[in-house]
Amino acid sequence: MTRILLLGGTTEASLLARALAAAGKDAVFSYAGRTDNPVAQPLPMRVGGFGGVAGLVDYLRAERIGAVVDATHPFAAQMSRNAVEACALAGVPLIGLERAPWVAAEDDNWTHVDSMETAVAALPDTPARVFLAIGKQNLAGFAAKPHHYLLRLVDAPDAPPLPDCTVVLARGPFEAEGDKALMLHHNISHIVAKNAGGAGAEAKLIAARALGLPVILIDRPTLPARRVVGSVAEVMAWLSHAERGV
Ligand code: 3Y8
Ligand code: NAP
């Protein structure tokens, strides 16, 4: 039986883990170790980086991995790039499980930007109250603007990440009603988010639409060419082909 490496950390990866476990597949679920207590999975787990491309090649060989599924987040670009390179070097088939980017509806007020820096520039110069729902990495640049920031983080930061901020600790997936209440409670005037796609992070966009609030949406990084599908079923079909060596 082919041993599968599942690069996880997203809602879709967790759904795939359940399908693999239910099918009795020999698979290992991989976390980066970014959060203190990641959600348990129904598969054996490994936590932490591999040590770059070379480390991943060594892992694939040592663990006799026969197929890799990259179900990491669209913004986990380094991991995805490493997976493409390492799988090519090790001759291991790779498939990406990726959700489509969000697309604005009629009554959405979205500004698309291509980086954290342009997201900062897109915020007003006069004081505002900004729901900065991009996690813990990449926050420093927002100190350049005189806003009050609402931050939602998975783990408590050692120190306040920005001079004028409120930190809420929560692990998604999130619900629109909860995000609407959060934004009303904090009198939010703007939202900044990554175009992560998927259902787990969409709640704040649905809430922003209901409240008529502007959203600054950061485009996802470009990834190298690779085979990509959008559903667990397609990954399972691809794996059964890979197992038959076709
Ligand atoms: C460590 C595993 C599952 C996976 C759930 C998804 C949904 C909930 C929404 C907001 C936005 C954000 C953030 C977010 C969401 C899901 C998914 C998703 C966004 C966990 C998890 C890990 C991480 C890492 C973490 C990042 C941060 C990003 C918070 C677990 C909970 C903002 C991305 O403290 C830190 O350093 C956090 C870092 C990378 C982005 C950042 O740059 O800070 N995710 N998130 C994974 C690992 O170690 O490999 O702890 O259980 C997983 C999930 N987070 O099993 O159902 O699939 O997107 N995660 C973003 O989308 O903008 C929150 O608040 O609305
Ligand atoms: P990244 O910047 O693309 O990766 C940085 C390094 O972290 C990688 O080179 C690799 O280290 C390690 N790494 C990343 N994902 C890994 C995984 N699943 N298993 C083992 N090592 C991993 O990654 P990131 O954006 O920090 O994301 C880290 C994790 O959080 C991923 O699992 C991702 O799916 C999840 N996540 C990220 C976001 C986001 O907004 N970025 C949102 C939700 C969930 P080595 O080079 O040492 O191998």
Side-chain angles (χ1 to χ4, degrees), residues 9-12 14 31-35 38-39 41 73 99 133-138 152 154 171-174 194 196 200-201 204:
T10 59
T11 300
E12 289 72 20
S14 298
Y31 277 121
R34 184 68 81 221
T35 55
V39 162
Q41 296 292 340
H73 190 274
R99 60 263 185 129
I134 58 169
K136 179 166 73 178
Q137 308 169 85
N138 316 112
R152 179 155 63 185
V154 178
R171 171 185 270 114
F174 300 103
K194 297 174 178 175
K204 55 191 175 285

PDB file of all heavy atoms in Angstrom, residues 9-12 14 31-35 38-39 41 73 99 133-138 152 154 171-174 194 196 200-201 204, ligand 1:
ATOM      1  N   GLY A   9      -3.073  21.557   7.884  1.00  0.00           N
ATOM      2  CA  GLY A   9      -3.189  22.880   8.481  1.00  0.00           C
ATOM      3  C   GLY A   9      -4.378  23.674   7.980  1.00  0.00           C
ATOM      4  O   GLY A   9      -4.496  24.868   8.235  1.00  0.00           O
ATOM      5  N   THR A  10      -5.282  23.022   7.239  1.00  0.00           N
ATOM      6  CA  THR A  10      -6.481  23.710   6.747  1.00  0.00           C
ATOM      7  C   THR A  10      -7.709  22.826   6.981  1.00  0.00           C
ATOM      8  O   THR A  10      -7.584  21.638   7.258  1.00  0.00           O
ATOM      9  CB  THR A  10      -6.389  23.953   5.224  1.00  0.00           C
ATOM     10  OG1 THR A  10      -6.234  22.669   4.590  1.00  0.00           O
ATOM     11  CG2 THR A  10      -5.229  24.867   4.870  1.00  0.00           C
ATOM     12  N   THR A  11      -8.890  23.454   6.820  1.00  0.00           N
ATOM     13  CA  THR A  11     -10.139  22.705   6.961  1.00  0.00           C
ATOM     14  C   THR A  11     -10.198  21.556   5.957  1.00  0.00           C
ATOM     15  O   THR A  11     -10.574  20.433   6.293  1.00  0.00           O
ATOM     16  CB  THR A  11     -11.331  23.657   6.709  1.00  0.00           C
ATOM     17  OG1 THR A  11     -11.275  24.708   7.681  1.00  0.00           O
ATOM     18  CG2 THR A  11     -12.652  22.933   6.834  1.00  0.00           C
ATOM     19  N   GLU A  12      -9.738  21.822   4.730  1.00  0.00           N
ATOM     20  CA  GLU A  12      -9.810  20.779   3.682  1.00  0.00           C
ATOM     21  C   GLU A  12      -8.880  19.622   4.039  1.00  0.00           C
ATOM     22  O   GLU A  12      -9.193  18.458   3.818  1.00  0.00           O
ATOM     23  CB  GLU A  12      -9.424  21.373   2.322  1.00  0.00           C
ATOM     24  CG  GLU A  12     -10.465  22.322   1.752  1.00  0.00           C
ATOM     25  CD  GLU A  12     -10.519  23.653   2.493  1.00  0.00           C
ATOM     26  OE1 GLU A  12      -9.540  24.003   3.172  1.00  0.00           O
ATOM     27  OE2 GLU A  12     -11.569  24.313   2.433  1.00  0.00           O
ATOM     28  N   SER A  14      -8.147  18.619   6.992  1.00  0.00           N
ATOM     29  CA  SER A  14      -8.791  17.830   8.051  1.00  0.00           C
ATOM     30  C   SER A  14      -9.901  16.940   7.486  1.00  0.00           C
ATOM     31  O   SER A  14     -10.080  15.802   7.914  1.00  0.00           O
ATOM     32  CB  SER A  14      -9.340  18.767   9.127  1.00  0.00           C
ATOM     33  OG  SER A  14      -8.259  19.482   9.705  1.00  0.00           O
ATOM     34  N   TYR A  31       1.883  18.831  10.349  1.00  0.00           N
ATOM     35  CA  TYR A  31       1.679  20.224  10.779  1.00  0.00           C
ATOM     36  C   TYR A  31       3.046  20.917  10.811  1.00  0.00           C
ATOM     37  O   TYR A  31       4.050  20.278  11.105  1.00  0.00           O
ATOM     38  CB  TYR A  31       1.113  20.268  12.203  1.00  0.00           C
ATOM     39  CG  TYR A  31      -0.374  20.102  12.370  1.00  0.00           C
ATOM     40  CD1 TYR A  31      -0.890  19.072  13.139  1.00  0.00           C
ATOM     41  CD2 TYR A  31      -1.268  21.006  11.803  1.00  0.00           C
ATOM     42  CE1 TYR A  31      -2.264  18.932  13.342  1.00  0.00           C
ATOM     43  CE2 TYR A  31      -2.637  20.872  11.988  1.00  0.00           C
ATOM     44  CZ  TYR A  31      -3.128  19.842  12.761  1.00  0.00           C
ATOM     45  OH  TYR A  31      -4.481  19.714  12.955  1.00  0.00           O
ATOM     46  N   ALA A  32       3.020  22.235  10.626  1.00  0.00           N
ATOM     47  CA  ALA A  32       4.278  22.996  10.709  1.00  0.00           C
ATOM     48  C   ALA A  32       4.701  23.198  12.162  1.00  0.00           C
ATOM     49  O   ALA A  32       5.871  23.427  12.459  1.00  0.00           O
ATOM     50  CB  ALA A  32       4.100  24.367  10.050  1.00  0.00           C
ATOM     51  N   GLY A  33       3.690  23.123  13.080  1.00  0.00           N
ATOM     52  CA  GLY A  33       4.014  23.408  14.478  1.00  0.00           C
ATOM     53  C   GLY A  33       3.873  24.899  14.761  1.00  0.00           C
ATOM     54  O   GLY A  33       4.492  25.455  15.651  1.00  0.00           O
ATOM     55  N   ARG A  34       3.012  25.531  13.954  1.00  0.00           N
ATOM     56  CA  ARG A  34       2.843  26.979  14.067  1.00  0.00           C
ATOM     57  C   ARG A  34       2.038  27.362  15.315  1.00  0.00           C
ATOM     58  O   ARG A  34       2.222  28.430  15.879  1.00  0.00           O
ATOM     59  CB  ARG A  34       2.161  27.458  12.776  1.00  0.00           C
ATOM     60  CG  ARG A  34       1.947  28.889  12.595  1.00  0.00           C
ATOM     61  CD  ARG A  34       3.192  29.700  12.404  1.00  0.00           C
ATOM     62  NE  ARG A  34       3.721  29.666  11.051  1.00  0.00           N
ATOM     63  CZ  ARG A  34       5.019  29.571  10.795  1.00  0.00           C
ATOM     64  NH1 ARG A  34       5.873  29.470  11.776  1.00  0.00           N
ATOM     65  NH2 ARG A  34       5.452  29.551   9.573  1.00  0.00           N
ATOM     66  N   THR A  35       1.130  26.481  15.740  1.00  0.00           N
ATOM     67  CA  THR A  35       0.311  26.801  16.915  1.00  0.00           C
ATOM     68  C   THR A  35       0.684  25.848  18.053  1.00  0.00           C
ATOM     69  O   THR A  35       1.243  24.772  17.827  1.00  0.00           O
ATOM     70  CB  THR A  35      -1.187  26.619  16.592  1.00  0.00           C
ATOM     71  OG1 THR A  35      -1.383  25.278  16.100  1.00  0.00           O
ATOM     72  CG2 THR A  35      -1.640  27.630  15.562  1.00  0.00           C
ATOM     73  N   PRO A  38      -2.220  22.158  18.084  1.00  0.00           N
ATOM     74  CA  PRO A  38      -3.032  21.951  16.884  1.00  0.00           C
ATOM     75  C   PRO A  38      -4.098  20.883  17.099  1.00  0.00           C
ATOM     76  O   PRO A  38      -3.936  19.980  17.918  1.00  0.00           O
ATOM     77  CB  PRO A  38      -2.016  21.508  15.827  1.00  0.00           C
ATOM     78  CG  PRO A  38      -0.834  21.036  16.578  1.00  0.00           C
ATOM     79  CD  PRO A  38      -0.816  21.799  17.867  1.00  0.00           C
ATOM     80  N   VAL A  39      -5.196  21.041  16.363  1.00  0.00           N
ATOM     81  CA  VAL A  39      -6.305  20.090  16.457  1.00  0.00           C
ATOM     82  C   VAL A  39      -5.815  18.679  16.122  1.00  0.00           C
ATOM     83  O   VAL A  39      -5.051  18.487  15.176  1.00  0.00           O
ATOM     84  CB  VAL A  39      -7.411  20.529  15.438  1.00  0.00           C
ATOM     85  CG1 VAL A  39      -8.380  19.410  15.144  1.00  0.00           C
ATOM     86  CG2 VAL A  39      -8.126  21.750  15.966  1.00  0.00           C
ATOM     87  N   GLN A  41      -5.767  14.864  14.763  1.00  0.00           N
ATOM     88  CA  GLN A  41      -6.236  14.312  13.496  1.00  0.00           C
ATOM     89  C   GLN A  41      -6.430  12.798  13.640  1.00  0.00           C
ATOM     90  O   GLN A  41      -5.772  12.177  14.480  1.00  0.00           O
ATOM     91  CB  GLN A  41      -5.221  14.599  12.390  1.00  0.00           C
ATOM     92  CG  GLN A  41      -5.043  16.084  12.086  1.00  0.00           C
ATOM     93  CD  GLN A  41      -6.272  16.709  11.440  1.00  0.00           C
ATOM     94  OE1 GLN A  41      -7.122  16.011  10.873  1.00  0.00           O
ATOM     95  NE2 GLN A  41      -6.368  18.016  11.543  1.00  0.00           N
ATOM     96  N   HIS A  73      -2.493  25.853   3.317  1.00  0.00           N
ATOM     97  CA  HIS A  73      -3.215  27.083   3.062  1.00  0.00           C
ATOM     98  C   HIS A  73      -2.639  27.795   1.834  1.00  0.00           C
ATOM     99  O   HIS A  73      -1.434  27.685   1.573  1.00  0.00           O
ATOM    100  CB  HIS A  73      -3.059  27.970   4.296  1.00  0.00           C
ATOM    101  CG  HIS A  73      -3.916  29.180   4.316  1.00  0.00           C
ATOM    102  ND1 HIS A  73      -3.531  30.357   3.707  1.00  0.00           N
ATOM    103  CD2 HIS A  73      -5.107  29.427   4.893  1.00  0.00           C
ATOM    104  CE1 HIS A  73      -4.474  31.265   3.923  1.00  0.00           C
ATOM    105  NE2 HIS A  73      -5.432  30.737   4.628  1.00  0.00           N
ATOM    106  N   ARG A  99      -8.606  25.459  -2.325  1.00  0.00           N
ATOM    107  CA  ARG A  99      -9.951  26.035  -2.478  1.00  0.00           C
ATOM    108  C   ARG A  99      -9.843  27.294  -3.340  1.00  0.00           C
ATOM    109  O   ARG A  99      -8.815  27.982  -3.322  1.00  0.00           O
ATOM    110  CB  ARG A  99     -10.565  26.308  -1.118  1.00  0.00           C
ATOM    111  CG  ARG A  99      -9.837  27.259  -0.216  1.00  0.00           C
ATOM    112  CD  ARG A  99      -8.936  26.544   0.799  1.00  0.00           C
ATOM    113  NE  ARG A  99      -8.383  27.550   1.675  1.00  0.00           N
ATOM    114  CZ  ARG A  99      -8.429  27.485   3.010  1.00  0.00           C
ATOM    115  NH1 ARG A  99      -8.956  26.443   3.597  1.00  0.00           N
ATOM    116  NH2 ARG A  99      -7.925  28.453   3.741  1.00  0.00           N
ATOM    117  N   ALA A 133      -7.631  40.565  10.455  1.00  0.00           N
ATOM    118  CA  ALA A 133      -7.835  39.120  10.645  1.00  0.00           C
ATOM    119  C   ALA A 133      -6.880  38.337   9.763  1.00  0.00           C
ATOM    120  O   ALA A 133      -7.294  37.515   8.936  1.00  0.00           O
ATOM    121  CB  ALA A 133      -9.274  38.774  10.322  1.00  0.00           C
ATOM    122  N   ILE A 134      -5.583  38.632   9.913  1.00  0.00           N
ATOM    123  CA  ILE A 134      -4.602  37.947   9.065  1.00  0.00           C
ATOM    124  C   ILE A 134      -3.674  37.063   9.905  1.00  0.00           C
ATOM    125  O   ILE A 134      -2.670  36.569   9.404  1.00  0.00           O
ATOM    126  CB  ILE A 134      -3.759  38.967   8.249  1.00  0.00           C
ATOM    127  CG1 ILE A 134      -3.044  39.945   9.192  1.00  0.00           C
ATOM    128  CG2 ILE A 134      -4.645  39.722   7.263  1.00  0.00           C
ATOM    129  CD1 ILE A 134      -1.998  40.794   8.495  1.00  0.00           C
ATOM    130  N   GLY A 135      -3.988  36.920  11.191  1.00  0.00           N
ATOM    131  CA  GLY A 135      -3.153  36.074  12.053  1.00  0.00           C
ATOM    132  C   GLY A 135      -2.028  36.857  12.688  1.00  0.00           C
ATOM    133  O   GLY A 135      -2.117  38.073  12.841  1.00  0.00           O
ATOM    134  N   LYS A 136      -0.961  36.128  13.032  1.00  0.00           N
ATOM    135  CA  LYS A 136       0.097  36.739  13.850  1.00  0.00           C
ATOM    136  C   LYS A 136       1.277  37.215  13.003  1.00  0.00           C
ATOM    137  O   LYS A 136       1.923  38.207  13.319  1.00  0.00           O
ATOM    138  CB  LYS A 136       0.586  35.683  14.853  1.00  0.00           C
ATOM    139  CG  LYS A 136       1.694  36.131  15.756  1.00  0.00           C
ATOM    140  CD  LYS A 136       1.890  35.172  16.921  1.00  0.00           C
ATOM    141  CE  LYS A 136       2.521  33.867  16.526  1.00  0.00           C
ATOM    142  NZ  LYS A 136       2.740  32.964  17.662  1.00  0.00           N
ATOM    143  N   GLN A 137       1.551  36.481  11.913  1.00  0.00           N
ATOM    144  CA  GLN A 137       2.700  36.890  11.079  1.00  0.00           C
ATOM    145  C   GLN A 137       2.299  38.142  10.307  1.00  0.00           C
ATOM    146  O   GLN A 137       1.142  38.370  10.081  1.00  0.00           O
ATOM    147  CB  GLN A 137       3.062  35.751  10.114  1.00  0.00           C
ATOM    148  CG  GLN A 137       3.247  34.420  10.831  1.00  0.00           C
ATOM    149  CD  GLN A 137       3.334  33.265   9.850  1.00  0.00           C
ATOM    150  OE1 GLN A 137       4.389  32.968   9.338  1.00  0.00           O
ATOM    151  NE2 GLN A 137       2.234  32.601   9.593  1.00  0.00           N
ATOM    152  N   ASN A 138       3.214  38.951   9.861  1.00  0.00           N
ATOM    153  CA  ASN A 138       2.981  40.114   9.000  1.00  0.00           C
ATOM    154  C   ASN A 138       2.224  41.277   9.653  1.00  0.00           C
ATOM    155  O   ASN A 138       1.555  42.031   8.965  1.00  0.00           O
ATOM    156  CB  ASN A 138       2.189  39.738   7.729  1.00  0.00           C
ATOM    157  CG  ASN A 138       2.687  38.455   7.092  1.00  0.00           C
ATOM    158  OD1 ASN A 138       1.990  37.471   7.094  1.00  0.00           O
ATOM    159  ND2 ASN A 138       3.913  38.467   6.595  1.00  0.00           N
ATOM    160  N   ARG A 152      -7.258  38.874  15.818  1.00  0.00           N
ATOM    161  CA  ARG A 152      -7.752  37.550  16.238  1.00  0.00           C
ATOM    162  C   ARG A 152      -6.620  36.563  15.990  1.00  0.00           C
ATOM    163  O   ARG A 152      -6.195  36.333  14.864  1.00  0.00           O
ATOM    164  CB  ARG A 152      -8.993  37.167  15.452  1.00  0.00           C
ATOM    165  CG  ARG A 152      -9.523  35.794  15.825  1.00  0.00           C
ATOM    166  CD  ARG A 152     -10.987  35.641  15.542  1.00  0.00           C
ATOM    167  NE  ARG A 152     -11.324  35.750  14.113  1.00  0.00           N
ATOM    168  CZ  ARG A 152     -12.579  35.741  13.671  1.00  0.00           C
ATOM    169  NH1 ARG A 152     -13.582  35.677  14.522  1.00  0.00           N
ATOM    170  NH2 ARG A 152     -12.840  35.813  12.378  1.00  0.00           N
ATOM    171  N   VAL A 154      -4.515  32.768  17.198  1.00  0.00           N
ATOM    172  CA  VAL A 154      -4.750  31.423  17.718  1.00  0.00           C
ATOM    173  C   VAL A 154      -4.137  31.288  19.113  1.00  0.00           C
ATOM    174  O   VAL A 154      -4.760  30.780  20.035  1.00  0.00           O
ATOM    175  CB  VAL A 154      -4.147  30.365  16.762  1.00  0.00           C
ATOM    176  CG1 VAL A 154      -4.352  28.969  17.317  1.00  0.00           C
ATOM    177  CG2 VAL A 154      -4.777  30.496  15.376  1.00  0.00           C
ATOM    178  N   ARG A 171      -9.695  30.015  17.565  1.00  0.00           N
ATOM    179  CA  ARG A 171      -9.268  29.156  16.459  1.00  0.00           C
ATOM    180  C   ARG A 171     -10.496  28.899  15.598  1.00  0.00           C
ATOM    181  O   ARG A 171     -11.530  28.500  16.130  1.00  0.00           O
ATOM    182  CB  ARG A 171      -8.726  27.841  17.035  1.00  0.00           C
ATOM    183  CG  ARG A 171      -8.456  26.804  16.003  1.00  0.00           C
ATOM    184  CD  ARG A 171      -8.046  25.484  16.646  1.00  0.00           C
ATOM    185  NE  ARG A 171      -6.612  25.380  16.830  1.00  0.00           N
ATOM    186  CZ  ARG A 171      -6.009  25.340  18.020  1.00  0.00           C
ATOM    187  NH1 ARG A 171      -6.717  25.438  19.111  1.00  0.00           N
ATOM    188  NH2 ARG A 171      -4.711  25.228  18.106  1.00  0.00           N
ATOM    189  N   GLY A 172     -10.427  29.137  14.314  1.00  0.00           N
ATOM    190  CA  GLY A 172     -11.593  28.913  13.474  1.00  0.00           C
ATOM    191  C   GLY A 172     -11.859  27.430  13.348  1.00  0.00           C
ATOM    192  O   GLY A 172     -11.206  26.636  14.019  1.00  0.00           O
ATOM    193  N   PRO A 173     -12.780  27.000  12.488  1.00  0.00           N
ATOM    194  CA  PRO A 173     -13.619  27.805  11.581  1.00  0.00           C
ATOM    195  C   PRO A 173     -14.592  28.711  12.339  1.00  0.00           C
ATOM    196  O   PRO A 173     -15.018  28.390  13.440  1.00  0.00           O
ATOM    197  CB  PRO A 173     -14.392  26.761  10.773  1.00  0.00           C
ATOM    198  CG  PRO A 173     -13.782  25.442  11.081  1.00  0.00           C
ATOM    199  CD  PRO A 173     -13.039  25.554  12.359  1.00  0.00           C
ATOM    200  N   PHE A 174     -14.943  29.850  11.743  1.00  0.00           N
ATOM    201  CA  PHE A 174     -15.773  30.875  12.370  1.00  0.00           C
ATOM    202  C   PHE A 174     -17.158  30.932  11.739  1.00  0.00           C
ATOM    203  O   PHE A 174     -17.347  30.450  10.617  1.00  0.00           O
ATOM    204  CB  PHE A 174     -15.077  32.245  12.264  1.00  0.00           C
ATOM    205  CG  PHE A 174     -13.725  32.252  12.943  1.00  0.00           C
ATOM    206  CD1 PHE A 174     -12.562  32.180  12.193  1.00  0.00           C
ATOM    207  CD2 PHE A 174     -13.628  32.265  14.331  1.00  0.00           C
ATOM    208  CE1 PHE A 174     -11.316  32.148  12.811  1.00  0.00           C
ATOM    209  CE2 PHE A 174     -12.383  32.230  14.956  1.00  0.00           C
ATOM    210  CZ  PHE A 174     -11.230  32.176  14.194  1.00  0.00           C
ATOM    211  N   LYS A 194      -6.887  37.973   4.241  1.00  0.00           N
ATOM    212  CA  LYS A 194      -6.203  37.293   3.132  1.00  0.00           C
ATOM    213  C   LYS A 194      -7.261  36.591   2.287  1.00  0.00           C
ATOM    214  O   LYS A 194      -8.223  36.056   2.842  1.00  0.00           O
ATOM    215  CB  LYS A 194      -5.267  36.217   3.685  1.00  0.00           C
ATOM    216  CG  LYS A 194      -4.149  36.702   4.549  1.00  0.00           C
ATOM    217  CD  LYS A 194      -3.416  35.501   5.129  1.00  0.00           C
ATOM    218  CE  LYS A 194      -2.259  35.926   5.973  1.00  0.00           C
ATOM    219  NZ  LYS A 194      -1.630  34.763   6.634  1.00  0.00           N
ATOM    220  N   ALA A 196      -8.059  33.792   1.432  1.00  0.00           N
ATOM    221  CA  ALA A 196      -7.761  32.395   1.756  1.00  0.00           C
ATOM    222  C   ALA A 196      -8.704  31.438   1.026  1.00  0.00           C
ATOM    223  O   ALA A 196      -8.363  30.292   0.757  1.00  0.00           O
ATOM    224  CB  ALA A 196      -7.901  32.190   3.266  1.00  0.00           C
ATOM    225  N   GLY A 200     -13.858  28.186   6.190  1.00  0.00           N
ATOM    226  CA  GLY A 200     -13.392  28.383   7.572  1.00  0.00           C
ATOM    227  C   GLY A 200     -13.070  29.806   7.926  1.00  0.00           C
ATOM    228  O   GLY A 200     -13.089  30.183   9.086  1.00  0.00           O
ATOM    229  N   ALA A 201     -12.770  30.636   6.917  1.00  0.00           N
ATOM    230  CA  ALA A 201     -12.379  32.017   7.214  1.00  0.00           C
ATOM    231  C   ALA A 201     -13.351  33.016   6.581  1.00  0.00           C
ATOM    232  O   ALA A 201     -13.151  34.223   6.688  1.00  0.00           O
ATOM    233  CB  ALA A 201     -10.977  32.273   6.675  1.00  0.00           C
ATOM    234  N   LYS A 204     -16.053  36.405   8.289  1.00  0.00           N
ATOM    235  CA  LYS A 204     -15.856  37.854   8.437  1.00  0.00           C
ATOM    236  C   LYS A 204     -16.282  38.627   7.191  1.00  0.00           C
ATOM    237  O   LYS A 204     -16.726  39.759   7.269  1.00  0.00           O
ATOM    238  CB  LYS A 204     -14.414  38.161   8.792  1.00  0.00           C
ATOM    239  CG  LYS A 204     -13.390  37.584   7.831  1.00  0.00           C
ATOM    240  CD  LYS A 204     -12.009  37.726   8.408  1.00  0.00           C
ATOM    241  CE  LYS A 204     -10.998  37.052   7.523  1.00  0.00           C
ATOM    242  NZ  LYS A 204     -11.025  35.594   7.627  1.00  0.00           N
TER     243      LYS A 204
HETATM  244  C1  3Y8 B   1      -1.247  25.579  12.539  1.00  0.00           C
HETATM  245  C2  3Y8 B   1      -4.069  24.208  13.067  1.00  0.00           C
HETATM  246  C3  3Y8 B   1      -8.942  22.704  10.619  1.00  0.00           C
HETATM  247  C4  3Y8 B   1      -8.112  23.861  10.101  1.00  0.00           C
HETATM  248  C5  3Y8 B   1      -8.741  25.201  10.457  1.00  0.00           C
HETATM  249  C6  3Y8 B   1      -8.830  27.347   6.978  1.00  0.00           C
HETATM  250  C7  3Y8 B   1      -9.655  27.501   8.242  1.00  0.00           C
HETATM  251  C8  3Y8 B   1      -9.779  27.813  10.673  1.00  0.00           C
HETATM  252  C9  3Y8 B   1      -9.361  30.597   9.261  1.00  0.00           C
HETATM  253  C10 3Y8 B   1      -9.747  34.968  10.965  1.00  0.00           C
HETATM  254  C11 3Y8 B   1      -8.712  34.340  10.069  1.00  0.00           C
HETATM  255  C12 3Y8 B   1      -5.592  32.877   9.570  1.00  0.00           C
HETATM  256  C13 3Y8 B   1      -4.902  31.828  10.474  1.00  0.00           C
HETATM  257  C14 3Y8 B   1      -6.986  30.993   9.879  1.00  0.00           C
HETATM  258  C15 3Y8 B   1      -7.981  30.088   9.574  1.00  0.00           C
HETATM  259  C16 3Y8 B   1      -8.815  27.582   9.522  1.00  0.00           C
HETATM  260  C17 3Y8 B   1      -7.966  26.334   9.756  1.00  0.00           C
HETATM  261  C18 3Y8 B   1      -7.705  28.641   9.487  1.00  0.00           C
HETATM  262  C19 3Y8 B   1      -7.082  32.462   9.669  1.00  0.00           C
HETATM  263  C20 3Y8 B   1      -4.944  26.603  12.294  1.00  0.00           C
HETATM  264  C21 3Y8 B   1      -3.831  25.620  12.631  1.00  0.00           C
HETATM  265  C22 3Y8 B   1      -2.618  26.209  12.371  1.00  0.00           C
HETATM  266  C23 3Y8 B   1      -2.861  27.512  11.884  1.00  0.00           C
HETATM  267  C24 3Y8 B   1      -1.790  28.493  11.519  1.00  0.00           C
HETATM  268  C25 3Y8 B   1      -2.318  29.892  11.461  1.00  0.00           C
HETATM  269  C26 3Y8 B   1      -1.316  30.984  11.035  1.00  0.00           C
HETATM  270  C27 3Y8 B   1      -2.295  32.140  10.681  1.00  0.00           C
HETATM  271  C28 3Y8 B   1      -3.477  31.403  10.069  1.00  0.00           C
HETATM  272  C29 3Y8 B   1      -4.941  32.198  11.942  1.00  0.00           C
HETATM  273  C30 3Y8 B   1      -4.486  24.174  14.541  1.00  0.00           C
HETATM  274  C31 3Y8 B   1      -5.814  26.967  13.470  1.00  0.00           C
HETATM  275  C32 3Y8 B   1      -5.344  34.290  10.039  1.00  0.00           C
HETATM  276  C33 3Y8 B   1      -5.146  32.745   8.091  1.00  0.00           C
HETATM  277  O1  3Y8 B   1      -0.235  32.150  15.580  1.00  0.00           O
HETATM  278  C34 3Y8 B   1       0.203  31.920  14.438  1.00  0.00           C
HETATM  279  O2  3Y8 B   1       1.423  31.982  14.096  1.00  0.00           O
HETATM  280  C35 3Y8 B   1      -0.808  31.526  13.391  1.00  0.00           C
HETATM  281  C36 3Y8 B   1      -0.360  31.362  12.129  1.00  0.00           C
HETATM  282  C37 3Y8 B   1      -0.443  30.555   9.885  1.00  0.00           C
HETATM  283  C38 3Y8 B   1      -1.770  33.142   9.653  1.00  0.00           C
HETATM  284  C39 3Y8 B   1      -0.627  33.968  10.117  1.00  0.00           C
HETATM  285  O3  3Y8 B   1       0.152  34.319   9.211  1.00  0.00           O
HETATM  286  O4  3Y8 B   1      -0.543  34.249  11.335  1.00  0.00           O
HETATM  287  N1  3Y8 B   1      -3.311  29.999  10.429  1.00  0.00           N
HETATM  288  N2  3Y8 B   1      -4.186  27.777  11.840  1.00  0.00           N
HETATM  289  C40 3Y8 B   1      -0.954  24.761  11.300  1.00  0.00           C
HETATM  290  C41 3Y8 B   1       0.414  24.088  11.388  1.00  0.00           C
HETATM  291  O5  3Y8 B   1       1.091  24.199  12.416  1.00  0.00           O
HETATM  292  O6  3Y8 B   1       0.761  23.424  10.378  1.00  0.00           O
HETATM  293  O7  3Y8 B   1      -3.899  24.933  15.333  1.00  0.00           O
HETATM  294  O8  3Y8 B   1      -5.364  23.363  14.853  1.00  0.00           O
HETATM  295  C42 3Y8 B   1      -5.757  26.020  11.154  1.00  0.00           C
HETATM  296  C43 3Y8 B   1      -6.801  26.868  10.537  1.00  0.00           C
HETATM  297  N3  3Y8 B   1      -6.769  28.175  10.511  1.00  0.00           N
HETATM  298  O9  3Y8 B   1      -8.313  21.696  10.990  1.00  0.00           O
HETATM  299  O10 3Y8 B   1     -10.172  22.810  10.587  1.00  0.00           O
HETATM  300  O11 3Y8 B   1      -8.669  26.190   6.544  1.00  0.00           O
HETATM  301  O12 3Y8 B   1      -8.348  28.397   6.465  1.00  0.00           O
HETATM  302  N4  3Y8 B   1      -5.761  30.650  10.318  1.00  0.00           N
HETATM  303  C44 3Y8 B   1      -6.106  33.363   7.082  1.00  0.00           C
HETATM  304  O13 3Y8 B   1      -6.845  32.581   6.452  1.00  0.00           O
HETATM  305  O14 3Y8 B   1      -6.112  34.591   6.957  1.00  0.00           O
HETATM  306  C45 3Y8 B   1      -7.934  33.195  10.729  1.00  0.00           C
HETATM  307  O15 3Y8 B   1      -9.427  35.192  12.152  1.00  0.00           O
HETATM  308  O16 3Y8 B   1     -10.846  35.224  10.479  1.00  0.00           O
END
